[in-house]
Amino acid sequence: MNFRKGKGREDPEINLIPFIDVLLVIVIFLMVTTSYSKFTALQITLPTADADKALQQPFEINVAVNPQGQYAVNNVQVSSKDAAELAQDLKSAALANNQSKQEPVVIINADAMATHQTVINVLEAARLANFDKVTFAAQTSGHK
């Protein structure tokens, strides 16, 4: 039996406005009660430095190695093929150009295609010549 005349079944409706009002009140409550303080684990005071730049450049010996395994010490090609001969060339370059008698820095400028053994020979020569400061020169990828 249908007691309702002319009316069909109504769809139930959920009113969202009171739900949104309650959520906004909760958000406001959380914002007011939350403390925004910054916590740090350690209180430290970092040191400061007032050092000037180095007034004198370190004495450098530049050793270039090309892909064919030839060496050049301070832009002078040498005929050394092993580490012992190259060590003598490094000592000669140090005596010829070092007026301040400071220990030189050996800078290895090896070609990208130079063999690993030729670079190791330069490192061994620096060790035999008692030069402890050795570094490698490189260029950034944009300077081909």
Side-chain angles (χ1 to χ4, degrees):
M1 281 192 174
N2 189 4
F3 294 110
R4 295 185 185 186
K5 293 185 180 174
K7 281 192 169 183
R9 193 169 175 164
E10 286 186 25
D11 291 331
E13 244 180 68
I14 298 176
N15 193 357
L16 293 178
I17 294 175
F19 179 68
I20 293 171
D21 288 343
V22 169
L23 285 179
L24 285 175
V25 168
I26 292 173
V27 168
I28 291 171
F29 175 75
L30 288 175
M31 288 175 55
V32 169
T33 59
T34 303
S35 62
Y36 295 103
S37 62
K38 187 177 185 180
F39 295 105
T40 57
L42 296 174
Q43 296 292 331
I44 59 172
T45 303
L46 297 176
T48 59
D50 294 328
D52 295 329
K53 288 185 178 180
L55 297 178
Q56 71 182 54
Q57 288 286 97
F59 175 58
E60 298 174 350
I61 297 176
N62 289 298
V63 180
V65 183
N66 69 4
Q68 291 77 29
Q70 299 169 333
Y71 302 102
V73 177
N74 288 340
N75 296 325
V76 176
Q77 190 166 354
V78 294
S79 61
S80 304
K81 290 295 180 186
D82 65 346
E85 292 176 5
L86 189 57
Q88 290 301 319
D89 292 330
L90 291 177
K91 286 180 183 178
S92 310
L95 290 175
N97 297 327
N98 190 7
Q99 281 75 29
S100 64
K101 301 298 180 197
Q102 62 181 353
E103 183 181 355
V105 177
V106 178
I107 301 174
I108 302 173
N109 298 294
D111 189 273
M113 296 300 172
T115 63
H116 185 70
Q117 183 61 51
T118 56
V119 176
I120 295 299
N121 286 346
V122 177
L123 290 171
E124 180 67 15
R127 185 189 66 80
L128 291 173
N130 293 323
F131 299 149
D132 296 331
K133 298 177 182 175
V134 179
T135 187
F136 292 92
Q139 65 181 5
T140 58
S141 60
H143 293 86
K144 287 187 176 182

